[in-house]
Amino acid sequence: MGWLLLLAFLVTGCPSKTIQYPAEHERLLRLDQALESLRSAYERKDRTGFRSMLSPLDQTEELQRQAEMDFEAFHTITLEFRIERVMLAKDAFDVLVNWQGTWKKDANDTGTRQRGHARLQWVGTSSILLRGAQGDLPFGMQTKQMLSEQSSPLR
């Protein structure tokens, strides 16, 4: 009889896992969508889309300016984010990401490959916006290239 019960349990399978904190789960899904929207707008060089993901604060103006310089300087941008950690607060998120990307000046360019780590600070509950960023950001690659060219010794 015991074997029959075990067989019945195995055939029917385990019950599906229920989400313990559905509100937080939904916020995390919206955060993931916001991060993807930011990445996608940057790759597509979509100024309006990129700007729409930023909170209207002075802290994000420089980030926007750096991204727009990249849009002008590069023909093609590819960028990948990998979330390392998410820290939740009442209406804010801190997201630690590893990123890697390639920036090409024209179609024949082999491109510049870079990678780094950044802390992206997001706010909101239903609409999630980037309010700040710290670390080695992927936005502003044109400025980084100009600074490295200036600091490299002339031969």
Side-chain angles (χ1 to χ4, degrees):
M1 185 64 145
W3 288 106
L4 188 55
L5 288 174
L6 179 61
L7 183 60
F9 179 72
L10 292 174
V11 170
T12 59
C14 298
S16 65
K17 186 175 182 178
T18 59
I19 298 172
Q20 191 170 10
Y21 302 103
E24 285 77 10
H25 178 73
E26 287 299 318
R27 285 178 63 205
L28 288 173
L29 289 177
R30 284 192 298 276
L31 173 66
D32 188 52
Q33 290 170 346
L35 186 62
E36 175 57 22
S37 294
L38 181 74
R39 185 205 62 76
S40 177
Y42 181 72
E43 267 193 357
R44 292 188 329 264
K45 300 187 282 182
D46 176 3
R47 286 176 167 78
T48 305
F50 190 83
R51 206 173 308 127
S52 74
M53 298 308 304
L54 305 178
S55 177
L57 298 172
D58 292 340
Q59 297 169 337
T60 60
E61 285 180 12
E62 178 63 19
L63 184 68
Q64 181 179 331
R65 190 178 69 73
Q66 291 292 325
E68 289 184 8
M69 287 175 59
D70 289 352
F71 298 161
E72 293 296 322
F74 298 104
H75 176 265
T76 306
I77 300 170
T78 56
L79 180 64
E80 297 174 25
F81 284 132
R82 195 178 87 232
I83 297 174
E84 186 176 309
R85 181 184 302 179
V86 176
M87 294 165 281
L88 295 170
K90 189 170 192 158
D91 64 344
F93 303 89
D94 278 356
V95 181
L96 303 176
V97 295
N98 294 321
W99 59 266
Q100 65 180 10
T102 305
W103 290 258
K104 294 182 178 184
K105 294 208 181 254
D106 58 49
N108 298 324
D109 185 13
T110 58
T112 300
R113 296 182 58 87
Q114 295 289 330
R115 65 180 61 205
H117 309 280
R119 176 181 170 204
L120 304 177
Q121 299 161 305
W122 300 82
V123 293
T125 51
S126 60
S127 176
I128 297 175
L129 300 174
L130 186 66
R131 71 174 166 112
Q134 299 172 337
D136 184 17
L137 302 172
F139 317 116
M141 196 53 62
Q142 171 63 17
T143 301
K144 289 177 186 178
Q145 281 188 348
M146 288 184 340
L147 290 174
S148 71
E149 288 170 2
Q150 289 175 358
S151 67
S152 65
L154 297 175
R155 295 175 199 230

